[in-house]
Amino acid sequence: MTTLGAVFRPQLPPERLRSVVESAEQAGLEQLWVWEDCFFESGIAAASAALAWTERLKVGVGLLPVPLRNVALTTMEAATLYRMFPGRALIGLGHGVQDWMGQVGARVESPMTLLREYAVAMRALLAGQRVTTEGRYVKLRDVALDWPPLSVPPLFAGATGPKSIRLCGEIADGTILTCATTPDSLRKSRELIDEGRAAAGKSDPHEVVVYLLAATGQDAAERIAADSEGAEAGVAGNAEDIAAAVLRLAEAGAGTVVLQPTADEPDPEGFVRFAANQVRPLI
């Protein structure tokens, strides 16, 4: 069965988060995702608040830009969420937008090497291991969490290029794909993910999360067309139109589809209610 979620876009002010989160919880939406895009809002701070305001909703952070964050700090923050809100926090790692990383002096020569080292170290720390590593970028000496998660949660990674998508299959438990993903490109991404999993000797399930740019109501088509990233793969229309697009992604290999409103969505609370009450029953 396909899981349905929605995104709280960071173009909204942080003080708007609570009303969107509570609307999602009350409507019965399964997941709400937040982003750590530069230089809008903290993904971990937003997720912490969203989880504290709810009892059932799963909250995802997709993605945390790893060049911006020390792996020990990120793992401490993630483990805290996993213990305080068991089974409800979802964490995704990514390269970060390279221009943004350059703005803060965090751009690295090999983003793939950093993501690999980072994910390997973070998974080991979350598993309660004591880690010493001297990688190209990740350097830890005798580090272990005092409060590791009671059970090891899935760790997600996200990417766009084929080599990085393959890496996600190798190092992560799930992959997050952008709203530029069409059913055809999703099938190709699944093949790359499976190649990475095979290279790592993995046979466990691997969740694929796909963002779907979606708009409904007045000027929906115009708002989708104006989006430079997701216009080709996005969908505008009523609940039936959007549900059909969700099902096409599910048939192509998505386990979770996360509806991404346009940055100028006029009613974000209404959007999450629409997703839960009108789109969800159709999938």
Side-chain angles (χ1 to χ4, degrees):
M1 183 176 179
T2 306
T3 299
L4 188 69
V7 178
F8 175 85
R9 293 286 295 258
Q11 286 82 3
L12 293 167
E15 59 269 22
R16 189 76 179 268
L17 177 63
R18 183 165 191 163
S19 64
V20 175
V21 165
E22 291 177 345
S23 295
E25 172 93 342
Q26 291 163 9
L29 190 66
E30 294 157 279
Q31 297 181 4
L32 188 79
W33 286 74
V34 297
W35 297 346
E36 192 164 86
D37 282 0
C38 296
F39 298 96
F40 290 103
E41 297 156 7
S42 160
I44 293 293
S48 300
L51 289 161
W53 290 326
T54 56
E55 297 292 336
R56 177 204 52 79
L57 185 69
K58 290 188 176 183
V59 178
V61 184
L63 301 162
L64 294 174
V66 299
L68 196 62
R69 305 173 130 268
N70 181 277
V71 67
L73 175 61
T74 299
T75 309
M76 289 164 59
E77 292 178 325
T80 300
L81 293 183
Y82 293 144
R83 288 189 67 116
M84 292 175 69
F85 308 102
R88 293 208 291 132
L90 308 169
I91 304 294
L93 307 176
H95 295 314
V97 176
Q98 296 309 296
D99 287 346
W100 291 341
M101 299 303 99
Q103 281 182 268
V104 297
R107 187 167 186 165
V108 298
E109 185 177 350
S110 177
M112 283 187 60
T113 299
L114 171 57
L115 186 59
R116 180 192 300 277
E117 292 179 356
Y118 202 104
V120 169
M122 187 168 176
R123 284 169 60 94
L125 290 169
L126 290 172
Q129 298 176 26
R130 186 169 296 276
V131 178
T132 295
T133 183
E134 187 71 21
R136 181 174 177 182
Y137 299 110
V138 174
K139 303 177 190 298
L140 299 173
R141 186 174 69 252
D142 197 31
V143 176
L145 295 178
D146 287 283
W147 297 105
L150 297 176
S151 60
V152 181
L155 184 64
F156 292 81
T160 54
K163 291 182 180 180
S164 295
I165 291 173
R166 187 181 186 277
L167 179 65
C168 291
E170 182 181 343
I171 63 173
D173 305 299
T175 298
I176 301 170
L177 300 174
T178 73
C179 69
T181 304
T182 65
D184 286 343
S185 64
L186 174 55
R187 292 184 183 93
K188 294 176 183 176
S189 293
R190 286 243 47 150
E191 292 176 1
L192 293 166
I193 291 166
D194 289 342
E195 288 177 10
R197 295 174 67 235
K202 291 184 175 183
S203 58
D204 51 325
H206 188 99
E207 180 79 1
V208 176
V209 179
V210 182
Y211 292 123
L212 173 63
L213 186 69
T216 191
Q218 188 176 11
D219 300 328
E222 290 82 357
R223 289 189 283 118
I224 291 291
D227 188 285
S228 59
E229 179 188 6
E232 180 182 352
V235 57
N238 58 22
E240 289 76 12
D241 297 323
I242 293 172
V246 171
L247 290 172
R248 287 192 291 271
L249 289 171
E251 290 167 0
T256 298
V257 178
V258 181
L259 300 184
Q260 176 180 319
T262 59
D264 58 352
E265 166 60 49
D267 182 10
E269 292 85 358
F271 184 86
V272 297
R273 289 193 293 266
F274 168 77
N277 296 331
Q278 298 187 48
V279 179
R280 171 76 263 183
L282 300 177
I283 62 172

